[in-house]
């Protein structure tokens, strides 16, 4: 891996590099995506069937668009029993963590008859998109579905592309069943996003769409936002390790590659105050890349978006961490908890040498659907709040309103909204 001295200039160059990977920079595909969305919006199932035949080579129709109970049963039979038990344990950890996020409606009543409050209501129907083929990740099914279930969403549907034989990845089906998906549809791509956003003869319209996908899926989610809610427009995966001289270089190298293997656009960055550690990690990375199975992907990821930054001190290192705002941040320092208190921007923070990033991906419980491309400065991981609505409650007695009615009238009149003022005034004529 390239070793670079951290400076204002090198930091900005890296930020510019990373932002090139954002889905916002793929406008050349937007016309295609918009055409797909419009076709699904106007012709419904017919467009879904045509696109599935074109892209997935499967002859989809109204009779086979839903995954059947028999197909789910067959998926269980295809999976190793130990793996099924691991998925169940992971699901329970995710459920336990997200249950702690639940909110209750609240009301504040005063003696003068003022009642203010917030009513918490789950959305009615959520839609989850799950990639197919080699990009099928059962862990992401759990991370999308379980927070919605905990929030109390009444109905959860899932779309995922079929293979040419009409089958869906068995791990995806088992995870969906364990998580509690109500109905699974064999549709993928931008057309699946459009179907969930507008509804078709077979697929109902949802209130919110979550889940990762390729650039066409990301752009489709961006295009339908406003007709429905979405979780985010996810970019490629990324990891940032913040380490000092106490870190184990072998652990750091292994953790950097855990994200570099995702795809060629993935980013893996080490920021350290130790040049010796930087050199040791670079050597370890080279050795691991030669041993691991996704060598070509990892090497291209590292060549394009892999960096080791050597900082003069920990303050400069932390400042760079906050500016990059990585999806995953590992802190491997002498006192990681103290350093953590100074970090403002990160999707998920992993503390200490035994909290490596895959722990969060698969098992610990916190959500692994995280803000990417610097959006951790203003976005959060997927959580229970993503599947609820908050409604304000306001009630005043005559006594309470009488005390303030002239203030309200004056404010409304200052904005030239006399009907607003009159709506209050008539109550005290």
């Amino acid at each position: 891996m390239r070793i670079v001295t951290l400076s204002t200039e090198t930091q900005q160059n890296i930020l510019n590099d990373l932002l090139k990977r954002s889905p916002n920079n793929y406008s050349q595909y937007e016309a295609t995506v918009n055409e797909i969305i419009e076709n699904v919006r106007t012709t419904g199932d017919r467009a879904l069937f045509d696109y599935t035949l074109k892209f997935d080579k499967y002859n989809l129709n109204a009779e086979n668009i839903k995954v059947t109970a028999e197909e789910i049963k067959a998926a269980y039979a295809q999976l190793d029993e130990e793996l099924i038990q691991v998925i169940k344990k992971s699901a329970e950890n995710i459920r336990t963590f997200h249950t702690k996020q639940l909110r209750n409606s609240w009301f504040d009543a005063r003696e003068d008859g003022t009642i203010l409050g917030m009513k918490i209501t789950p959305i009615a129907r959520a839609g989850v998109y799950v990639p197919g083929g080699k990009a099928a990740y059962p862990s992401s099914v759990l991370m999308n579905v379980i927070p919605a279930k905990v929030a109390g969403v009444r109905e959860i549907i899932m779309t995922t592309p079929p293979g040419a034989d009409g089958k869906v990845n068995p791990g995806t089906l088992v995870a969906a069943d364990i998580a509690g998906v109500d109905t699974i549809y064999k549709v993928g791509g931008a057309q699946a996003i459009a179907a969930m956003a507008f509804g078709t003869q077979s697929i109902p319209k949802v209130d919110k769409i979550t889940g990762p996908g390729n650039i066409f899926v990301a752009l489709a989610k961006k295009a339908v936002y406003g007709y429905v809610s979405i979780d985010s427009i996810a970019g490629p995966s990324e990891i940032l390790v913040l380490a000092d001289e106490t870190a184990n270089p072998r652990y750091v190298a292994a953790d950097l590659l855990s994200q570099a293997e995702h795809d060629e656009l993935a980013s893996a960055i080490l920021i350290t105050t130790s040049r010796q550690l930087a050199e040791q990690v670079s050597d370890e990375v080279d050795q691991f890349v030669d041993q691991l199975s996704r060598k070509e992907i990892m090497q291209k990821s590292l060549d394009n978006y892999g960096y080791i930054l050597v900082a003069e001190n920990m303050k400069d290192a932390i400042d760079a961490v906050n500016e990059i705002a990585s999806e995953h941040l590992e802190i491997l320092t002498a006192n990681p908890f103290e350093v953590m208190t100074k970090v403002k921007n990160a999707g998920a923070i992993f503390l200490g040498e035994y909290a490596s990033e895959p722990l969060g991906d698969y098992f610990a419980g916190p959500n692994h659907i995280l803000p990417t491309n610097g959006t951790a400065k203003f976005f959060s991981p997927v959580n229970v709040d993503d599947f609820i609505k908050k409604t304000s409650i306001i009630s005043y007695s005559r006594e309470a309103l009488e005390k303030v009615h002239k203030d309200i009238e004056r404010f409304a009149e200052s904005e030239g909204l006399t009907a607003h003022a009159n709506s209050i005034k008539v109550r005290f004529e």
Side-chain angles (χ1 to χ4, degrees):
M1 288 182 71
R2 76 194 103 176
I3 300 175
V4 180
T5 300
L6 178 63
S7 67
T8 303
E9 183 181 359
T10 57
Q11 177 178 298
Q12 190 57 51
N13 288 341
I14 289 169
L15 287 170
N16 292 340
D17 244 10
L18 297 179
L19 287 173
K20 292 176 186 175
R21 308 171 310 138
S22 168
N24 292 321
N25 291 327
Y26 289 85
S27 57
Q28 67 268 34
Y29 301 117
E30 286 181 351
T32 301
V33 168
N34 289 337
E35 181 182 344
I36 292 172
I37 291 171
E38 188 57 28
N39 283 342
V40 173
R41 186 177 184 177
T42 55
T43 66
D45 276 359
R46 183 69 265 156
L48 294 185
F49 302 158
D50 290 345
Y51 285 126
T52 303
L53 186 60
K54 179 180 179 180
F55 297 130
D56 302 306
K57 313 304 179 190
Y58 178 60
N59 190 16
L60 193 69
N61 57 55
E63 281 68 48
N64 62 19
I65 192 171
K66 288 184 185 180
V67 171
T68 64
E70 290 74 21
E71 287 176 295
I72 293 173
K73 184 177 179 181
Y76 274 96
Q78 289 178 261
L79 247 57
D80 178 79
E81 181 59 35
E82 285 188 18
L83 176 57
I84 293 171
Q85 293 308 313
V86 169
I87 293 174
K88 288 181 177 179
K89 287 179 186 176
S90 176
E92 188 52 39
N93 290 343
I94 296 165
R95 189 172 291 109
T96 299
F97 179 85
H98 287 82
T99 297
K100 296 181 186 298
Q101 300 173 354
L102 275 170
R103 300 188 187 211
N104 295 316
S105 300
W106 60 268
F107 299 91
D108 178 23
R110 300 174 188 169
E111 290 183 2
D112 65 1
T114 301
I115 300 175
L116 302 175
M118 188 71 72
K119 185 173 182 288
I120 306 293
T121 310
I123 64 174
R125 184 185 289 130
V128 176
Y129 183 85
V130 178
K134 294 180 180 178
Y137 299 117
S139 58
S140 287
V141 177
L142 303 181
M143 296 290 182
N144 278 283
V145 176
I146 292 174
K149 294 292 288 187
V150 170
V153 175
R154 175 176 52 81
E155 182 182 2
I156 302 172
I157 69 168
M158 190 175 95
T159 61
T160 189
D165 57 1
K167 293 182 180 178
V168 174
N169 180 281
T172 295
L173 294 184
V174 168
D177 186 61
I178 290 170
V181 172
D182 294 291
T183 313
I184 305 168
Y185 297 93
K186 299 178 182 180
V187 182
Q191 59 271 25
I193 301 300
M196 289 191 283
F198 301 108
T200 72
Q201 292 85 347
S202 295
I203 299 178
K205 182 187 187 309
V206 303
D207 300 308
K208 180 156 192 168
I209 300 172
T210 66
N214 62 20
I215 188 62
F216 293 96
V217 169
L219 290 174
K221 287 171 70 176
K222 180 181 177 183
V224 302
Y225 176 65
Y227 296 99
V228 292
S229 179
I230 63 171
D231 51 351
S232 64
I233 306 167
S237 190
E238 53 200 33
I239 185 171
L240 195 161
V241 179
L242 175 61
D244 62 15
E245 70 283 353
T246 66
N248 183 318
R250 190 166 174 80
Y251 294 172
V252 174
D255 294 353
L256 290 170
L257 293 177
S258 72
Q259 294 308 291
E261 77 167 342
H262 267 296
D263 66 62
E264 295 165 7
L265 294 175
S267 165
I269 298 173
L270 165 64
I271 301 179
T272 180
T273 51
S274 167
R275 181 161 287 276
Q276 181 181 3
L277 179 75
E279 293 168 353
Q280 290 172 329
V281 169
S282 182
D283 291 341
E284 292 284 356
V285 164
D286 291 341
Q287 293 178 45
F288 274 132
V289 168
D290 284 336
Q291 299 167 12
L292 297 169
S293 61
R294 294 168 69 90
K295 178 178 179 178
E296 285 188 17
I297 292 173
M298 287 188 289
Q299 193 60 61
K300 286 182 180 178
S301 166
L302 295 174
D303 289 345
N304 292 324
Y305 303 107
Y307 299 91
I308 297 176
L309 301 176
V310 180
E312 188 173 329
N313 53 59
M314 187 55 68
K315 180 186 181 303
D316 289 349
I318 293 170
D319 287 345
V321 164
N322 283 324
E323 198 58 38
I324 293 171
S326 185
E327 177 187 18
H328 307 99
L329 170 65
E330 290 189 7
I331 301 178
L332 300 173
T333 61
N335 192 340
F337 286 89
E338 180 186 353
V339 173
M340 179 267 292
T341 63
K342 299 170 184 174
V343 172
K344 298 184 177 111
N345 304 321
I349 301 176
F350 301 77
L351 301 173
E353 62 182 11
Y354 295 105
S356 63
E357 189 278 337
L359 175 65
D361 268 356
Y362 293 109
F363 204 75
N367 211 290
H368 78 200
I369 304 168
L370 304 166
T372 57
N373 276 108
T375 60
K377 291 180 178 178
F378 45 84
F379 280 144
S380 305
V382 165
N383 60 85
V384 169
D385 277 3
D386 283 306
F387 300 97
I388 63 171
K389 302 180 287 104
K390 303 170 189 135
T391 305
S392 299
I393 304 296
I394 303 164
S395 177
Y396 267 49
S397 66
R398 178 181 175 85
E399 176 192 355
L401 185 60
E402 189 170 15
K403 293 176 183 176
V404 297
H405 78 93
K406 289 186 177 179
D407 292 337
I408 302 167
E409 292 162 23
R410 189 173 294 112
F411 211 153
E413 287 166 353
S414 76
E415 295 186 347
L417 299 176
T418 55
H420 278 64
N422 189 58
S423 172
I424 299 293
K425 191 180 297 183
V426 295
R427 284 161 168 78
F428 300 98
E429 289 176 342

